[in-house]
Amino acid sequence: MTVARTMMAGGGQALDGGGWRYEAAGGVGLFRAPALEAAGAVAVVSSRCGGVSAPPFDSLNLGLSVGDDEVAVAENRARLGEALGVPWPRLATVRQVHGTEVHPVAGAGPQGMDADALIGRGPGTAMAILVADCAPVFLLDPRTGAVGLAHAGWRGTAGGIAARTVAAMGEAYGCRPGDLLAAVGPAIGPCCYEVDEPVLARLRASAPWWAEVVRPGRPGHAHLDVPGANLRVLRDAGLDPARVAVAPMCTACDRDRLFSHRASGGRTGRMAAVLALPG
Ligand SMILES: [Zn+2]
């Protein structure tokens, strides 16, 4: 996967294309989705840069269930909250299970349920999901002030979780798909994401266009384009592809900035995808 990266002299910023921008905010490396932020939201995926965790969680690990030191994770969460202006305890979170349930946010912090997408509306709405190869899918409706955030690995992608989130925003808040702005954050790319026949069989059954989002691999295998598949899911859900920013960087290739579950052999940190509206 090609990554067009332009270092801006002295600014500590890199433009990564795909409608995403990398910057160091208060010492913490962040990937921002400017189209959504121009509409008034905080729409960010954290990098692994600027935290205090020791290897293999170095350094900005935000996941508590990966074996890292809890004190370090608390410091990392505080640093991210400071950089975003959104304290971690305000972020609604769910227990992510690679499913397709969509949860309407009720208050701040852990929502106490199994789900892989969150929706909400109005000032102060704030949500986060944790990722390390799976694609975070951001949705924002400038007309109604509704937002949605989905966690899409191959299972969620095959289950159409991004489309289910769009549908849930329509039912709950009257959102029209054509009005939505969307962004697909950094995920493992087709360069590195080899899947086997059982996964391919699920993909075949899930969408008629599955062959468009895989590349040939070893016998019995293929390389899956999770971000590309989510763009396709969003298009089928009625979104304008021109209003969807797809991050081109690959978690497994860009290991200086990103955590990759696959590339690390399963022992690594988690990034946070954060979508928040000003309170
Ligand atoms: Zn890659």
Side-chain angles (χ1 to χ4, degrees), residues 150-200:
H151 163 244
W154 77 261
R155 288 182 188 83
T157 301
I161 190 164
R164 290 176 61 102
T165 309
V166 170
M169 290 171 68
E171 286 168 24
Y173 313 121
C175 300
R176 302 180 301 225
D179 291 336
L180 299 180
L181 295 168
V184 181
I188 192 165
C191 39
C192 296
Y193 194 31
E194 187 182 74
V195 296
D196 60 12
E197 185 52 41
V199 173
L200 292 168

Side-chain angles (χ1 to χ4, degrees), residues 8-258:
M8 295 175 66
Q13 275 195 343
L15 299 175
D16 285 277
W20 284 79
R21 188 183 71 228
Y22 182 71
E23 67 176 37
V28 172
L30 301 173
F31 294 87
R32 291 187 177 277
L36 275 68
E37 296 207 320
V42 171
V44 160
V45 178
S46 62
S47 74
R48 66 187 295 170
C49 306
V52 299
S53 292
F57 309 109
D58 50 318
S59 61
L60 191 67
N61 167 46
L62 298 160
L64 269 178
S65 58
V66 294
D68 194 3
D69 171 37
E70 288 184 17
V71 175
V73 175
E75 171 64 20
N76 293 338
R77 289 177 169 187
R79 287 187 183 194
L80 179 68
E82 184 75 18
L84 298 181
V86 184
W88 185 274
R90 264 192 55 201
L91 299 171
T93 56
V94 284
R95 289 191 299 265
Q96 299 168 207
V97 294
H98 294 283
T100 55
E101 289 301 312
V102 182
H103 173 67
V105 168
Q111 305 286 294
M113 65 168 319
D114 294 349
D116 285 271
L118 294 145
I119 59 170
R121 180 173 61 176
T125 300
M127 52 186 63
I129 59 169
L130 296 174
V131 287
D133 287 342
C134 294
V137 180
F138 295 72
L139 296 160
L140 183 152
D141 183 359
R143 187 176 67 85
T144 64
V147 290
L149 182 62
H151 163 244
W154 77 261
R155 288 182 188 83
T157 301
I161 190 164
R164 290 176 61 102
T165 309
V166 170
M169 290 171 68
E171 286 168 24
Y173 313 121
C175 300
R176 302 180 301 225
D179 291 336
L180 299 180
L181 295 168
V184 181
I188 192 165
C191 39
C192 296
Y193 194 31
E194 187 182 74
V195 296
D196 60 12
E197 185 52 41
V199 173
L200 292 168
R202 286 275 298 275
L203 289 169
R204 266 183 221 112
S206 72
W209 42 258
W210 70 274
E212 296 171 26
V213 295
V214 298
R215 298 178 185 176
R218 294 181 296 142
H221 296 73
H223 285 239
L224 173 60
D225 181 357
V226 170
N230 278 282
L231 174 59
R232 186 62 199 253
V233 167
L234 291 170
R235 204 175 89 193
D236 284 0
L239 273 74
D240 176 355
R243 291 163 73 87
V244 184
V246 181
M249 63 291 292
C250 165
T251 48
C253 288
D254 197 344
R255 293 180 66 190
D256 288 342
R257 296 189 297 176
L258 294 162

